[in-house]
Amino acid sequence: WKRPWYFPRATESISQTLTRECMSVRQKVGILDASTLGKIDIQGPDAREFLNRIYTNNWSRLSVGRCKYGLMCTEDGMLFDDGVTACLGEQHFIMTTTTGGAARVLDWLENWLQTEWSDLRVFCNSVTDYWATIAISGPFSRELLSEITDIELDRSEFSFMDWRQGSVAGIPARVFRISFTGELSYEINVQVDYAAAIWDALIEHGAKYDICPYGTETMHILRAEKGFIIVGQDTDGSVTPKDLGLDWAVAKHKPFSFLGERGMERADCIRAERKQLVGLKTHDPAIILEEGSQIVFDPKQEKPMHMVGHVTSSYLSPILGRSIALALVEGGHHRLGETIYVASGEHKMRPAEVCPPVFYDPEGERQNG
């Protein structure tokens, strides 16, 4: 896929553009083409049982009209993919995957259905190319969408992690209230032939709110401010949900087994000193750490130094006015408030404070509003 990195105006530099795009989403409303997310249509009498085995959390009680975030692990307990799955009917679900993981996730599902769980009556079909997804995000997104839809958008009728069927700009659509920015957001799904018409309608009606198209780099900054992971960037095939602080998405008392359940209980997977996801704040807020940079606890130790982790994501946060980073650090969950040192390209060690990975709106008030 080719996706816009950013949308510069006139003579704007990339940093100026990213600042404008980020602040527009945080303060007004932004629009993003999210059509590249993988979409897998799952149907059949045993669809819920299948999801219970594939995902780490419980899907038995997800009602029609609701969505849930799920983690998918390999047999050894390591995170494989993540995404939001919506219940369209009692035996009908739509699963979203990471953009890069769409094909491998479908292969993964089919492999288990065809070789291990052939008794399950479930059918999976890729519909990634059939549905376009246009996300609007920001404080004015509800006002904007209300002008062109017949869906009731009041929070009492349409809350966070709900989805609704209706029309948008006169076009049949599924609208999902999910957020990858931490702001009030709506993801509008329409048949691909109507994508341009929906985009144009949103741009036209959004002019009064100073709507701003934003690209993938702004998307990355916004999600990092909220501590949202990207599989393959903040994970490397060697981290469990617990390492990422996502053990809340692992069912503790499931009456059935799921992929990775036994793997993540191995002695090595429950060590306190495993590499774990944390946030980093450089002592000098102007310094942006390089992604992939190695981390040490003691910068004065003899060489070769003992590396205890690395930076996975690093950006300048316009809303916070400083640099932020996510990193995998040995025993990181128990080191909050400590100072670690990050190697830079100038043979320097940059001090940084270990902090929680959620930098902005930790209570989630904005996305739930």
Side-chain angles (χ1 to χ4, degrees), residues 54-303:
I54 286 291
Y55 280 127
T56 63
N57 46 356
N58 197 328
W59 295 79
S60 300
R61 298 180 181 177
L62 185 67
S63 59
V64 177
R66 290 288 289 168
C67 310
K68 180 179 283 191
Y69 175 72
L71 302 176
M72 198 177 295
C73 292
T74 49
E75 300 100 307
D76 57 4
M78 305 305 164
L79 188 63
F80 176 68
D81 204 81
D82 71 340
V84 173
T85 293
C87 182
L88 305 186
E90 288 300 329
Q91 300 180 6
H92 188 189
F93 297 82
I94 186 78
M95 173 190 289
T96 61
T97 74
T98 57
T99 293
R104 66 190 177 113
V105 169
L106 181 61
D107 286 346
W108 179 252
L109 302 183
E110 288 292 352
N111 179 63
W112 286 96
L113 280 174
Q114 294 183 36
T115 64
E116 300 294 331
W117 305 328
S118 58
D119 58 312
L120 293 184
R121 295 163 296 170
V122 180
F123 303 91
C124 300
N125 288 286
S126 173
V127 293
T128 303
D129 294 343
Y130 303 157
W131 291 89
T133 303
I134 298 170
I136 54 173
S137 187
F140 294 128
S141 56
R142 180 181 284 122
E143 287 91 333
L144 169 56
L145 184 56
S146 68
E147 295 183 12
I148 58 173
T149 186
D150 60 0
I151 299 172
E152 175 56 62
L153 300 182
D154 186 87
R155 62 178 296 180
S156 63
E157 299 293 330
F158 195 177
S159 60
F160 183 57
M161 298 303 281
D162 281 347
W163 79 271
R164 296 290 183 266
Q165 184 94 29
S167 72
V168 178
I171 297 168
R174 294 172 182 161
V175 179
F176 299 80
R177 205 186 139 185
I178 53 183
S179 178
F180 198 47
T181 65
E183 298 293 334
L184 173 65
S185 303
Y186 299 90
E187 293 190 3
I188 304 164
N189 283 243
V190 296
Q191 293 183 38
V192 292
D193 294 348
Y194 298 110
I198 291 288
W199 181 278
D200 291 343
L202 289 167
I203 292 293
E204 178 185 351
H205 287 266
K208 66 174 69 68
Y209 306 108
D210 196 19
I211 192 169
C212 173
Y214 64 99
T216 56
E217 188 67 8
T218 291
M219 178 188 71
H220 282 216
I221 296 170
L222 296 170
R223 64 89 194 174
E225 291 171 345
K226 289 291 296 177
F228 297 153
I229 65 164
I230 290 183
V231 174
Q233 177 165 336
D234 301 300
T235 71
D236 60 2
S238 68
V239 292
T240 68
K242 186 175 182 179
D243 296 335
L244 297 165
L246 297 175
D247 44 336
W248 55 265
V250 179
K252 303 298 189 297
H253 304 291
K254 262 190 175 182
F256 39 77
S257 295
F258 56 89
L259 290 176
E261 180 180 24
R262 287 177 293 177
M264 63 181 70
E265 292 301 321
R266 291 177 296 135
D268 181 66
C269 291
I270 58 177
R271 289 184 298 109
E273 295 306 307
R274 283 183 60 81
K275 290 182 180 179
Q276 299 162 341
L277 187 74
V278 296
L280 296 181
K281 291 182 178 179
T282 51
H283 287 190
D284 181 346
I287 292 177
I288 303 174
L289 300 172
E290 295 181 13
E291 293 178 352
S293 296
Q294 295 293 309
I295 298 170
V296 300
F297 292 147
D298 178 10
K300 298 181 180 180
Q301 62 183 287
E302 294 184 2
K303 297 180 180 178

